[in-house]
Amino acid sequence: MQRVPTASRRLLVFIVALVSLALPSAAGSVTADRHVDGTPGANGWYVSNVHVYWAFVPAPDSESGCEARTLTADSVTHFDCTATWGSTTFHDTFGVSVDKTPPVVHAVPSRPPDANGWYNHPVPVSFAGSDATSGLARCSSTTYSGPDNGNASVAGTCSDNAGNVGSATYGFSYDATPPSLAKVTAKHGDRNVLLGWTASPDVRAVQVMRSRGSGPNKLIFNGTGAAFRDKGLRPGAQYDYTVSAFDVAANSVTRALTVTATGRLINPVPGERVSARPHLAWLPAKSANYYNVQLIRGKRILSAWPTHAHFKLPRSWVYQGHRYRLRPGVYRWYVWPGFGLRVQAHYGRMLGGSAFVYG
């Protein structure tokens, strides 16, 4: 609404509020002017102190209820003014409604915070209020959908029938952005797997769920660490893991991975299909000086003695006078630890056996 300049508004008040009556009388013309000086609001209400008085020319012989008054309180006041000049009577009855007080306003969010005092998706907020004098006319509403802010706020208003406007602010915490979860890895152990991850600083909790096949999901970790070792796995069995990270507002991110459990022979995992020469790897044995690796396809076709806990199969090799190379099919392999000098042939218990598919 366009604001009326102060001088013009005063003139408007004067024009609207001045009631002038010319009354004939035996003594000549009589003028009676009613003055109501105040700031008009809406719907016939005033939103300031109001000064009410009458001006009579000439002065009446008698008058009743025509005393000047200043209305300072919110109210509806009725006036009944009577003035007489001989046999001429002036009678003026009217009411003045004053409401200078804005409505009392409060916010009404559509729902409580989603988690831990935080909202994590758009929240509609309406505003409600009350007005003791002219009554409530209308209130505003809004929806907050960002940006993320621990000290977010929205403002709203209510207006009364006199045109007064009250306001209120609703403060809250808002975060609709999921945290990040990267470098989710699995490192094989003997009948266990070490899961690791890198979470963003806003992560407050991490959960790890595990399932196998069509079996149920099981919560196996709930904490704040960056790693978890899952033990008691069956070599050759597949396990599905989901790693979920949550921030304080319960936003979450999930990463999934499938792991085939191993014993001490960790690469390739049992039953893995490979298309290139595999790099065989196993968990080291304490105090071992070397290892004996044997490869079987129907019969033993390779025996090697690496000094470290890994061995890459060659392109071709000779064993017991025959040349071999990898051909499509299933291969089994076994590893024993060796101690001391190789010529002593002092071997420990077999570390384990596994199989892979080539081709």
Side-chain angles (χ1 to χ4, degrees):
M1 177 183 295
Q2 184 176 2
R3 293 184 60 87
V4 179
T6 302
S8 299
R9 186 165 64 247
R10 289 173 178 170
L11 179 59
L12 177 63
V13 171
F14 176 79
I15 293 173
V16 171
L18 175 62
V19 177
S20 181
L21 300 175
L23 304 175
S25 70
S29 178
V30 173
T31 301
D33 293 331
R34 180 214 300 162
H35 296 263
V36 181
D37 186 8
T39 303
N43 302 307
W45 288 80
Y46 288 88
V47 292
S48 69
N49 291 345
V50 176
H51 184 55
V52 180
Y53 65 97
W54 289 262
F56 301 115
V57 178
D61 299 328
S62 64
E63 62 180 81
S64 172
C66 303
E67 299 83 6
R69 291 180 61 183
T70 298
L71 308 178
T72 60
D74 292 352
S75 63
V76 176
T77 305
H78 295 282
F79 292 87
D80 189 347
C81 169
T82 301
T84 60
W85 295 262
S87 61
T88 300
T89 300
F90 166 78
H91 190 201
D92 188 18
T93 59
F94 66 99
V96 176
S97 300
V98 177
D99 184 354
K100 303 184 297 179
T101 306
V104 176
V105 184
H106 63 276
V108 184
S110 63
R111 66 179 190 277
D114 298 305
N116 304 311
W118 289 73
Y119 289 97
N120 59 25
H121 60 283
V123 52
V125 180
S126 59
F127 290 84
S130 60
D131 188 85
T133 307
S134 63
L136 201 64
R138 65 189 64 85
C139 293
S140 66
S141 62
T142 186
T143 296
Y144 188 90
S145 57
D148 294 349
N149 190 344
N151 295 300
S153 65
V154 292
T157 62
C158 289
S159 57
D160 62 20
N161 287 305
N164 298 298
V165 178
S167 63
T169 300
Y170 180 59
F172 54 96
S173 298
Y174 188 87
D175 182 358
T177 305
S180 64
L181 188 64
K183 299 180 180 178
V184 179
T185 59
K187 183 178 180 181
H188 288 284
D190 183 8
R191 301 174 185 271
N192 65 75
V193 62
L194 179 63
L195 302 171
W197 53 84
T198 300
S200 54
D202 58 335
V203 168
R204 296 298 181 92
V206 176
Q207 291 182 351
V208 179
M209 304 289 292
R210 181 191 68 199
S211 65
R212 181 181 167 193
S214 59
N217 265 340
K218 179 181 179 182
L219 178 64
I220 59 175
F221 176 79
N222 185 14
T224 58
F228 171 72
R229 187 179 296 278
D230 190 19
K231 301 178 181 179
L233 307 182
R234 185 172 70 83
Q238 281 194 342
Y239 297 88
D240 296 315
Y241 294 94
T242 56
V243 181
S244 301
F246 301 86
D247 63 18
V248 67
N251 298 299
S252 66
V253 58
T254 297
R255 298 287 180 264
L257 69 165
T258 299
V259 176
T260 300
T262 69
R264 300 201 61 161
L265 279 55
I266 60 176
N267 190 69
V269 298
E272 181 178 354
R273 182 178 291 274
V274 298
S275 58
R277 294 179 294 135
H279 198 141
L280 307 179
W282 54 92
L283 299 176
K286 185 178 180 180
S287 302
N289 300 104
Y290 60 95
Y291 300 89
N292 177 232
V293 179
Q294 297 186 15
L295 185 66
I296 309 295
R297 187 183 178 192
K299 62 180 180 178
R300 184 166 55 194
I301 60 173
L302 178 144
S303 187
W305 289 266
T307 57
H308 297 91
H310 55 86
F311 175 71
K312 185 168 186 177
L313 291 178
R315 296 183 183 276
S316 65
W317 64 92
V318 175
Y319 179 71
Q320 293 185 348
H322 297 279
R323 179 165 293 277
Y324 295 93
R325 68 173 56 247
L326 287 175
R327 299 182 184 280
V330 178
Y331 293 82
R332 295 198 61 83
W333 59 291
Y334 303 88
V335 178
W336 287 263
F339 303 95
L341 298 176
R342 179 181 162 187
V343 296
Q344 296 174 326
H346 179 203
Y347 294 99
R349 179 178 297 179
M350 182 176 67
L351 296 181
S354 188
F356 63 88
V357 180
Y358 178 78

